[in-house]
Amino acid sequence: MISALIGGAIIGLASGLLWLLNGRILGVSGIIGGILNWIPRDILWRVFFLAGLLSGGALMYRLKPENFEMLPMPSWAILLAGLLVGFGTRLSNGCTSGHGVCGISRLSMRSIVATLVFMAMGALTVGVVRHLLGGL
Amino acid sequence: MKAALGAYLTGLIFSVGLAISGMTQPKKVLAFLDVLGDWDPSLMFVMVGAIGVYSIAYRLVLKKEKPILEDKLQIPEPKKVDRPLIIGAALFGIGWGLAGFCPGPALTSLGTLQATPLIFAVGLFGGMFLFKGLRDRKVI
């Protein structure tokens, strides 16, 4: 619980930093999805942000490998999940960071609604998979 | 170039926060979403911490004329709740509940080069590419 709170505060801090330095909302799906638009003047900072995520992951994997423990899961399910997350977050213009953290902090009605919807659908999906289908 | 370095630093700090918070552990995320079963609410505190800090930081920076490395603050224009928002969020929620990964933690985990985040990232970029294709052709 304490680590969740501390990690969350660091997430909030990083989001505040991107706002202070670059004047951008920290929404991972938007920043990364924008790379595909291939706009020369707008692509470098996005790629660098992605590089930052990857380096942070590599660094933390060395320090705390147990924080990156993966679940055994069929590859098709992981691939399908990625597709849904990629398509869905672009269609709704945001994910857990852009809507869930930044949008709610800004009291955006769209973000509040989006967060309620993806949380509810996430809970429903886990409920169906675990308790109705008995797992993947 | 300076703005790119700012983005790099931000991405780095953000991913460290994600790794500490527990969001890079699909098992924890799925337990958080398992409200109909054995619910583990601890990840709720990630939201509490993040929103607590950002809601103050956002408003403090808003008083400034411009950000440090760029020309202006890109304030999102207020838009209405519409159908793409709801459908997109619903599809995202289903994917999130399937694998326990949302974009930030998935790309952070990609830095570990494990197979699961690699496969997920292929799907993630595939889904984003599909969206772009359909949007460019004005299908959606």
Side-chain angles (χ1 to χ4, degrees), chain B residues 118-135:
Chain B
L118 274 169
I119 299 168
F120 187 90
V122 170
L124 184 78
F125 280 102
M128 288 179 166
F129 206 74
L130 180 67
F131 169 81
K132 180 178 155 48
L134 294 175
R135 174 69 33 112

Side-chain angles (χ1 to χ4, degrees), chain B residues 47-135:
Chain B
M47 292 280 275
V48 172
I51 292 174
V53 171
Y54 188 73
S55 51
I56 297 167
Y58 177 79
R59 285 164 181 82
L60 285 177
V61 174
L62 209 51
K63 290 181 187 153
K64 290 171 66 75
E65 237 172 76
K66 64 188 206 64
I68 294 174
L69 304 176
E70 293 271 21
D71 298 333
K72 66 179 178 107
L73 293 169
Q74 312 260 354
I75 303 168
E77 44 190 282
K79 282 194 296 184
K80 273 189 287 187
V81 172
D82 54 12
R83 207 189 315 214
L85 180 84
I86 307 281
I87 298 172
L91 293 174
F92 163 40
I94 295 171
W96 195 30
L98 269 180
F101 266 142
C102 54
L107 295 169
T108 298
S109 302
L110 187 59
T112 74
L113 300 176
Q114 295 184 83
T116 305
L118 274 169
I119 299 168
F120 187 90
V122 170
L124 184 78
F125 280 102
M128 288 179 166
F129 206 74
L130 180 67
F131 169 81
K132 180 178 155 48
L134 294 175
R135 174 69 33 112

Side-chain angles (χ1 to χ4, degrees), chain B residues 11-79:
Chain B
L12 183 70
I13 297 172
F14 187 74
S15 61
V16 168
L18 282 172
I20 291 173
S21 73
M23 291 292 290
T24 51
Q25 290 159 269
K27 190 178 172 186
K28 269 201 150 173
V29 174
L30 294 183
F32 168 67
L33 290 173
D34 195 10
V35 284
L36 304 170
D38 191 11
W39 189 41
D40 170 10
S42 63
L43 289 187
M44 191 55 96
F45 289 93
V46 181
M47 292 280 275
V48 172
I51 292 174
V53 171
Y54 188 73
S55 51
I56 297 167
Y58 177 79
R59 285 164 181 82
L60 285 177
V61 174
L62 209 51
K63 290 181 187 153
K64 290 171 66 75
E65 237 172 76
K66 64 188 206 64
I68 294 174
L69 304 176
E70 293 271 21
D71 298 333
K72 66 179 178 107
L73 293 169
Q74 312 260 354
I75 303 168
E77 44 190 282
K79 282 194 296 184

Side-chain angles (χ1 to χ4, degrees), chain A residues 8 14 19-23 36 45 48 54-57 67-68 82-83 88 92 96 105-106 110 118 122-123 130-131, chain B residues 3-4 7-8 10 15 19 24-25 33-34 50 58-59 68-69 74 79-80 82 85 88-89 93 102 107-108 114 124 132:
Chain A
W19 183 231
L20 172 68
L21 294 177
N22 294 30
L36 302 181
W45 75 277
F48 270 62
L54 297 175
S55 347
N67 283 23
F68 293 92
L83 264 173
S92 70
T96 339
S105 299
R106 297 190 302 108
R110 273 173 63 87
F118 66 66
R130 284 201 174 165
H131 309 299
Chain B
Y8 178 81
T10 304
S15 61
T24 51
Q25 290 159 269
L33 290 173
D34 195 10
Y58 177 79
R59 285 164 181 82
I68 294 174
L69 304 176
Q74 312 260 354
K79 282 194 296 184
K80 273 189 287 187
D82 54 12
L85 180 84
C102 54
L107 295 169
T108 298
Q114 295 184 83
L124 184 78
K132 180 178 155 48

